[in-house]
Amino acid sequence: MAKEEADREKAIKNACDGVQQGRFASIRKAAEAYEVHYSTVRRRLRGAKARKLAHVHQQLLTPAEERAIVRWIVQLEEFGFPPRVRHVKEAIVLLKHPELDLEEEAIEGYFEGAIGKNYLTRFLNRHPDLVSKPSSNFDKRRIKQSDPGVIQRHFARVQQVWKKYSITERNTYNMDEKGFRQGISD
């Protein structure tokens, strides 16, 4: 859906550019050539913004704040810890209202009342490069991850992160699925 919207916006921009550069005799001809509505091209030529841009001021997060949240999500994914929905909600609440309590009921209440329960769905629609995946049963994941190819790819990713952030072997720690081992440090 986001790709279709991007393609449509590109077609509208091309139609507008074509009219402004004199490649088309009329707005209607440009709209027909790019298969977009005549009235949309006419409005854009008169200075109207795309719906997505026209309502930015009504969104909870500014575009810069949304980019920061997206960078944070991508970075966590690179580390192998994609955030859960609750973590993203916590980050948004902390960003907008650091004075609020981060108890689960408070966060859910804030989202249901002040923001709306569909906020994250709309957020993901605005950022199609982020993919929401439901987690599967732990046992199935463990079996799937025992594939040697998957394990090699995992450790190749670990090596990439080590190089990217200049992590030395001295600064690595032993972990299992429960977390860091207690009492062991370097």
Side-chain angles (χ1 to χ4, degrees), residues 97-113:
H97 298 286
E99 74 281 0
L100 285 181
D101 182 16
L102 285 181
E103 293 298 319
E104 190 164 348
E105 300 82 34
I107 291 171
E108 290 304 320
Y110 180 75
F111 265 80
E112 299 234 350

Side-chain angles (χ1 to χ4, degrees), residues 2 4 31 36 39 57 77 79 87-88 90-91 113 157 168 175 186:
E4 291 172 7
V36 293
S39 59
H57 68 281
E77 170 61 28
F79 292 154
H87 299 140
V88 176
E90 282 178 6
R157 266 179 105 186
T168 63
M175 286 191 330
D186 208 5

Side-chain angles (χ1 to χ4, degrees), residues 27-186:
I27 296 172
R28 191 168 304 280
K29 295 275 188 204
E32 287 173 3
Y34 288 99
E35 299 177 352
V36 293
H37 290 282
Y38 160 78
S39 59
T40 303
V41 177
R42 187 183 70 213
R43 279 194 310 273
R44 294 287 177 86
L45 286 169
R46 291 180 178 172
K49 295 179 182 176
R51 182 175 294 173
K52 189 175 184 178
L53 298 175
H55 297 283
V56 166
H57 68 281
Q58 295 173 327
Q59 292 177 3
L60 173 67
L61 300 176
T62 65
E65 290 170 333
E66 281 201 2
R67 284 192 303 275
I69 295 287
V70 168
R71 277 194 313 269
W72 172 71
I73 291 169
V74 169
Q75 189 174 38
L76 283 178
E77 170 61 28
E78 282 179 6
F79 292 154
F81 299 106
R84 296 183 182 276
V85 170
R86 175 172 165 41
H87 299 140
V88 176
K89 287 180 178 181
E90 282 178 6
I92 291 168
V93 170
L94 278 172
L95 190 62
K96 295 310 281 184
H97 298 286
E99 74 281 0
L100 285 181
D101 182 16
L102 285 181
E103 293 298 319
E104 190 164 348
E105 300 82 34
I107 291 171
E108 290 304 320
Y110 180 75
F111 265 80
E112 299 234 350
I115 297 174
K117 62 183 178 181
N118 297 322
Y119 177 79
L120 284 179
T121 302
R122 292 190 308 274
F123 177 84
L124 289 172
N125 287 340
R126 285 192 300 277
H127 303 282
D129 48 321
L130 297 177
V131 179
S132 177
K133 299 179 215 170
S135 61
S136 60
N137 193 350
F138 184 73
D139 292 334
K140 289 179 187 175
R141 284 197 330 232
R142 178 171 278 181
I143 292 168
K144 184 178 177 184
Q145 298 303 320
S146 64
D147 176 1
V150 171
I151 294 169
Q152 287 173 343
R153 284 190 299 276
H154 167 76
F155 283 105
R157 266 179 105 186
V158 169
Q159 290 296 325
Q160 288 174 343
V161 171
W162 281 18
K163 285 180 185 174
K164 183 176 180 180
Y165 296 99
S166 302
I167 299 171
T168 63
E169 216 173 295
R170 189 176 80 98
N171 292 325
T172 58
Y173 303 90
N174 199 5
M175 286 191 330
D176 64 10
E177 61 272 358
K178 293 180 182 167
F180 291 99
R181 285 184 55 192
Q182 297 293 319
I184 309 273
S185 65
D186 208 5

